[in-house]
Short mmCIF file of all heavy atoms in Angstrom, two decimals:
data_model
loop_
_atom_site.label_atom_id
_atom_site.label_comp_id
_atom_site.label_asym_id
_atom_site.label_seq_id
_atom_site.Cartn_x
_atom_site.Cartn_y
_atom_site.Cartn_z
N ALA A 30 -45.37 8.87 103.89
CA ALA A 30 -46.46 9.12 102.94
C ALA A 30 -46.47 10.60 102.60
O ALA A 30 -45.97 11.42 103.35
CB ALA A 30 -47.79 8.70 103.50
N VAL A 51 -55.12 21.59 108.66
CA VAL A 51 -54.01 22.06 109.51
C VAL A 51 -53.88 21.15 110.73
O VAL A 51 -52.76 20.75 111.08
CB VAL A 51 -54.21 23.53 109.90
CG1 VAL A 51 -53.20 23.96 110.97
CG2 VAL A 51 -54.11 24.42 108.67
N GLN A 55 -50.62 18.88 111.55
CA GLN A 55 -49.86 19.01 112.81
C GLN A 55 -49.76 17.68 113.55
O GLN A 55 -48.75 17.42 114.20
CB GLN A 55 -50.54 20.06 113.70
CG GLN A 55 -50.37 21.47 113.15
CD GLN A 55 -51.21 22.52 113.91
OE1 GLN A 55 -52.17 22.18 114.59
NE2 GLN A 55 -50.84 23.78 113.70
N PRO A 59 -45.09 15.18 112.27
CA PRO A 59 -44.00 14.67 113.09
C PRO A 59 -43.78 13.16 112.98
O PRO A 59 -42.75 12.63 113.42
CB PRO A 59 -44.41 15.03 114.53
CG PRO A 59 -45.41 16.11 114.39
CD PRO A 59 -46.10 15.83 113.08
N GLY A 61 -43.65 11.54 110.06
CA GLY A 61 -43.11 11.21 108.75
C GLY A 61 -44.08 11.38 107.59
O GLY A 61 -43.82 10.86 106.50
N THR A 88 -50.16 27.40 107.50
CA THR A 88 -48.75 27.49 107.80
C THR A 88 -48.18 26.08 107.94
O THR A 88 -48.86 25.17 108.41
CB THR A 88 -48.51 28.26 109.12
OG1 THR A 88 -49.27 27.64 110.16
CG2 THR A 88 -48.95 29.71 108.99
N ALA A 104 -53.32 11.04 90.49
CA ALA A 104 -54.08 10.64 91.68
C ALA A 104 -55.52 10.26 91.36
O ALA A 104 -56.15 9.57 92.16
CB ALA A 104 -54.07 11.81 92.67
N THR A 109 -62.46 19.38 94.60
CA THR A 109 -61.79 20.06 95.68
C THR A 109 -62.83 20.27 96.79
O THR A 109 -63.93 20.68 96.45
CB THR A 109 -61.16 21.42 95.27
OG1 THR A 109 -62.18 22.33 94.91
CG2 THR A 109 -60.18 21.24 94.14
N VAL A 120 -50.83 5.40 94.98
CA VAL A 120 -51.92 6.01 95.72
C VAL A 120 -52.58 4.92 96.58
O VAL A 120 -53.10 3.94 96.04
CB VAL A 120 -52.98 6.64 94.76
CG1 VAL A 120 -54.15 7.21 95.56
CG2 VAL A 120 -52.34 7.73 93.91
N ASP A 128 -66.51 12.54 106.82
CA ASP A 128 -67.88 12.51 106.33
C ASP A 128 -68.72 13.73 106.71
O ASP A 128 -69.93 13.65 106.81
CB ASP A 128 -68.59 11.21 106.76
CG ASP A 128 -68.85 11.14 108.26
OD1 ASP A 128 -68.30 11.95 109.03
OD2 ASP A 128 -69.58 10.25 108.68
N GLY A 155 -47.70 1.05 110.06
CA GLY A 155 -47.19 0.00 109.20
C GLY A 155 -48.22 -0.98 108.70
O GLY A 155 -47.90 -2.07 108.24
N GLY A 167 -67.60 18.23 96.90
CA GLY A 167 -67.03 19.56 96.79
C GLY A 167 -67.22 20.14 95.41
O GLY A 167 -68.18 19.81 94.72
N TYR A 169 -66.08 20.72 91.50
CA TYR A 169 -65.37 20.00 90.43
C TYR A 169 -64.13 20.75 90.02
O TYR A 169 -64.12 21.96 89.97
CB TYR A 169 -66.29 19.76 89.24
CG TYR A 169 -67.33 18.73 89.49
CD1 TYR A 169 -68.64 19.07 89.78
CD2 TYR A 169 -67.00 17.37 89.52
CE1 TYR A 169 -69.60 18.12 90.06
CE2 TYR A 169 -67.93 16.42 89.80
CZ TYR A 169 -69.23 16.80 90.06
OH TYR A 169 -70.18 15.84 90.36
#
Side-chain angles (χ1 to χ4, degrees):
V51 170
Q55 290 171 342
T88 56
T109 65
V120 177
D128 68 349
Y169 287 102

